[in-house]
């Protein structure tokens, strides 16, 4: 580096513009999380194999995010360093969202279940292509003093997008009269049009960020091109080996946390259907549809609570410290997930999701706020991508083992998969509390 770039403080509106695309991305991600299992089951997937289909997301994240981070660190174009990747990823994600509810038109080419899996692959790859540069953009553009605020704003917009995406199928049915069963009895109209709306919102919000946000040039950041040359796999492996100590400390916390959330995302719909809705009178198929719609509402609630909680996180962190606040949030989330086992009323589940929302708000902000200050700006992208390993790896493990656990250990009762996730989140909370916040913990130890 030739010089140190002094970054001026940005206004709250500039920070919002910078993260606005995350609202649309998370809206699309929430639509996938809330409805992927039911779409897969509608096309013939068995409950015990659902977690295998969900492996697409973490595997693509593990591969795509570090690669995109590595090359976006070294990309300098007229429209910026991160924005080209954000824009291309958003357009591809929008296409995938339009295709997902229309798989029936491609069944003449191959089995419908393979088509759904392929579109899930496209969607997850595109979302990861878009998401990683957004994380790095905050680190690039904000000074150390404003990064916590930047990630908090990002969390709020993520929560708003997730609430909209999770609740949209229910809202379209309840207030706009969209049907919950289409003529083919596969993808209901409320789901179909939710994906259409999500695609439009995603593209528009990402364009908002692309056209309202300025990125620093290599000269402004003080890079000479020789210092950021591409060394391929050797450079990446060196970065992986010499990751900051804080990433290793947070690794175990992330592992148990994301195992828990993956179990909830995959098995929440069948778990709530069997544990709550099947105890009511009515046709089982219709009750399953109602359970799926209600899970969308539940996911909207926990994402909404994460928005409200994010407003107070910076104050709590300033008073009690990052690791203590994060550990408490995970503890509340774990207890809330376990308590679902003892709930028999759909409305009582809302209370459980409030606790999960506190954990989710913490997960989306505090680990990144801890990490960002320990990363050099010329490797912000690649290390944010490597940090994603601690998110994707536990999901892969869960995806491989989840179905067998449900079938052979829990006797095909998915509710116990949710309970297991709760216990894993409790373990994550204790791991977080064991991390001592000290000057040495946040010291960059890469020596490069």
């Amino acid at each position: 580096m030739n010089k140190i770039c002094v970054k001026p403080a940005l206004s709250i509106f500039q920070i919002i513009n910078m993260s606005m695309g995350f609202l649309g991305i998370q809206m699309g991600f929430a639509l996938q999380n809330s409805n992927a299992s039911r779409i897969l089951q509608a096309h013939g997937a068995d409950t015990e194999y659902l977690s295998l289909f969900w492996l697409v997301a973490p595997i693509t994240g593990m591969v795509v995010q570090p690669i995109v981070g590595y090359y976006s660190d070294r990309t300098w174009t007229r429209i910026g360093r991160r924005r080209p990747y954000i824009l291309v990823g958003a357009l591809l994600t929008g296409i995938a969202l339009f295709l997902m509810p229309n798989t029936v038109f491609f069944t003449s080419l191959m089995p419908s279940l393979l088509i759904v899996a392929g579109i899930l692959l496209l969607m997850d790859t595109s979302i990861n292509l878009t998401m990683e540069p957004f994380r790095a953009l905050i680190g690039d553009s904000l000074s150390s003093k404003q990064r916590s605020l930047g990630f908090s704003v990002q969390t709020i917009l993520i929560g708003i997008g997730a609430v909209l995406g999770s609740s949209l199928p229910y809202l379209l049915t309840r207030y706009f009269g969209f049907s919950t069963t289409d003529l083919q009895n596969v993808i209901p109209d409320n789901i179909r049009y939710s994906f259409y709306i999500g695609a439009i919102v995603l593209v528009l919000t990402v364009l908002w960020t692309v056209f309202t946000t300025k990125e620093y040039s290599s000269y402004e950041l003080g890079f000479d091109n020789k210092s950021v040359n591409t060394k391929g796999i050797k450079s990446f492996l060196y970065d992986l080996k010499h990751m900051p100590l804080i990433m290793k400390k947070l690794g175990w916390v992330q592992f148990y946390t994301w195992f828990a959330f993956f179990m909830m995302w995959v098995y929440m719909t069948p778990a709530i259907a069997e544990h709550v809705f099947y105890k009511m009178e009515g046709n089982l198929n219709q009750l399953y549809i109602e359970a799926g719609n209600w899970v969308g509402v539940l996911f909207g609630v926990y994402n909404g609570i994460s928005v409200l909680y994010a407003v107070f996180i910076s104050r709590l962190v300033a008073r009690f410290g990052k690791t203590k606040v994060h550990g408490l949030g995970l503890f509340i989330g774990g207890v809330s997930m376990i308590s679902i086992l003892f709930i028999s009323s759909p409305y009582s589940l809302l209370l459980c999701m409030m606790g999960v929302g506190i954990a989710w708000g913490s997960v989306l902000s505090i680990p990144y706020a801890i990490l960002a200050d320990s990363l050099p700006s010329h490797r912000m992208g690649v290390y944010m991508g490597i940090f994603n390993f601690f998110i994707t790896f536990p999901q892969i493990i869960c995806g491989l083992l989840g179905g067998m656990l449900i079938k052979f250990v829990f006797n095909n009762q998915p509710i116990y998969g949710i309970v297991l996730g709760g216990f894993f989140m409790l373990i994550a909370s204790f791991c977080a509390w064991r991390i001592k916040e000290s000057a040495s913990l946040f010291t960059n130890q890469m020596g490069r």
Side-chain angles (χ1 to χ4, degrees):
M1 283 193 189
N2 298 325
K3 63 180 181 179
I4 297 176
C5 176
V6 179
K7 300 172 184 176
L10 301 185
S11 70
I12 187 64
F13 296 105
Q14 289 174 306
I15 295 175
I16 291 173
N17 287 341
M18 188 184 305
S19 296
M20 181 59 69
F22 243 117
L23 186 153
I25 294 171
Q26 197 63 32
M27 187 172 178
F29 192 56
L31 281 166
Q32 175 183 317
N33 278 353
S34 300
N35 300 288
S37 288
R38 76 155 85 176
I39 292 175
L40 287 165
Q41 287 184 307
H43 287 280
D46 293 330
T47 301
E48 64 182 280
Y49 298 122
L50 284 178
S51 61
L52 295 179
F53 286 98
W54 278 70
L55 282 175
V56 173
I59 289 175
T60 55
M62 180 174 285
V63 175
V64 173
Q65 289 208 23
I67 292 174
V68 172
Y70 181 86
Y71 284 102
S72 69
D73 282 342
R74 294 156 172 79
T75 297
W76 305 99
T77 70
R78 294 181 62 182
I79 65 171
R81 185 185 188 192
R82 316 292 183 185
R83 288 182 293 173
Y85 296 91
I86 292 171
L87 182 59
V88 172
L91 294 175
L92 291 175
T93 306
I95 292 172
L97 286 169
F98 267 103
L99 292 176
M100 178 60 75
N102 292 299
T103 54
V104 67
F105 296 113
F106 304 97
T107 53
S108 61
L109 301 176
M110 64 181 66
S112 61
L113 192 56
L114 290 179
I115 294 172
V116 175
I119 295 175
L120 278 175
L121 175 62
L122 172 62
M123 187 180 302
D124 285 314
T125 302
S126 304
I127 287 176
N128 280 292
L129 176 60
T130 310
M131 190 176 295
E132 194 285 331
F134 258 112
R135 297 287 190 193
L137 184 62
I138 295 294
D140 289 342
S141 304
L142 297 180
S143 65
S144 177
K145 292 181 179 179
Q146 285 197 305
R147 281 174 180 162
S148 293
L149 175 61
F151 285 115
S152 294
V153 169
Q154 197 174 85
T155 300
I156 291 171
L157 291 171
I158 286 172
I160 293 173
V163 170
L164 292 173
S166 299
S167 305
L168 195 54
Y170 178 83
L171 295 175
L172 290 181
T173 299
R174 181 69 180 270
Y175 298 104
F176 298 96
F178 281 78
S179 172
T180 58
T181 305
D182 70 359
L183 295 178
Q184 291 78 29
N185 196 31
V186 176
I187 308 300
D189 284 345
N190 64 331
I191 303 299
R192 186 189 311 276
Y193 285 94
S194 293
F195 275 82
Y196 296 161
I197 295 170
I200 294 171
V201 173
L202 186 148
V203 173
L204 290 178
T205 54
V206 167
L207 288 176
W208 182 327
T209 290
V210 168
F211 288 111
T212 61
T213 301
K214 175 186 177 296
E215 290 192 72
Y216 289 104
S217 67
S218 60
Y219 175 79
E220 290 172 314
L221 288 174
F223 297 170
D224 61 49
N225 291 330
K226 295 181 180 179
S227 69
V228 293
N229 60 351
T230 301
K231 298 180 181 179
I233 189 65
K234 290 184 179 180
S235 178
F236 177 80
L237 292 176
Y238 184 96
D239 291 335
L240 183 63
K241 180 179 179 181
H242 295 85
M243 71 175 66
L245 177 61
I246 186 58
M247 292 178 66
K248 301 175 183 178
K249 295 284 186 177
L250 287 170
W252 287 108
V253 179
Q254 294 290 84
F255 178 88
Y256 292 115
T257 298
W258 286 91
F259 188 101
F261 275 110
F262 193 80
M263 290 295 286
M264 185 186 74
W265 291 333
V266 174
Y267 295 109
M268 192 66 166
T269 296
I272 296 305
E274 296 179 12
H275 189 64
V276 178
F277 280 80
Y278 285 178
K279 296 177 181 179
M280 305 175 185
E281 295 184 2
N283 178 272
L284 290 183
N285 289 334
Q286 185 60 36
L287 289 174
Y288 188 88
I289 291 173
E290 292 178 7
N293 289 337
W294 190 246
V295 167
V297 174
L298 296 176
F299 282 12
V301 167
Y302 90 73
N303 282 290
I305 293 298
S306 73
V307 173
L308 298 177
Y309 184 61
V311 175
F312 301 99
I313 283 179
S314 60
R315 295 181 183 179
L316 292 172
V317 164
R319 182 170 182 178
F320 301 107
K322 296 182 181 70
T323 57
K324 290 182 179 179
V325 173
H326 191 43
L328 178 61
L330 295 175
F331 182 83
I332 294 172
V335 171
S336 299
M337 289 180 68
I338 293 171
S339 67
I340 294 175
L341 178 65
F342 307 100
I343 300 298
S344 59
S345 166
Y347 291 99
S348 298
L349 293 170
L350 297 172
L351 295 175
C352 302
M353 288 298 103
M354 290 181 182
V356 173
I358 291 175
W360 186 237
S362 183
V363 167
L364 290 178
S365 56
I366 294 181
Y368 295 100
I370 293 173
L371 184 64
D373 287 341
S374 70
L375 302 180
S377 59
H378 62 295
R379 291 187 178 86
M380 184 72 68
V382 68
Y383 273 112
M384 284 291 183
I386 291 174
F387 190 59
N388 195 55
F389 282 176
F390 301 120
I391 295 174
T392 55
F393 182 68
Q395 295 181 63
I396 293 172
I397 296 297
C398 181
L400 292 173
L401 299 180
M404 291 186 287
L405 288 172
I406 297 297
K407 183 176 182 179
F408 297 109
V409 179
F410 301 135
N411 195 27
N412 286 318
Q413 298 182 69
I415 184 63
Y416 291 106
I418 308 298
V419 174
L420 178 64
F423 279 111
F424 268 63
M425 196 171 291
L426 292 181
I427 296 174
S429 72
F430 291 121
C431 290
W433 280 328
R434 288 176 61 85
I435 298 176
K436 295 181 179 180
E437 293 187 62
S438 63
S440 61
L441 182 65
F442 299 97
T443 300
N444 182 0
Q445 298 188 357
M446 287 176 286
R448 188 181 184 190

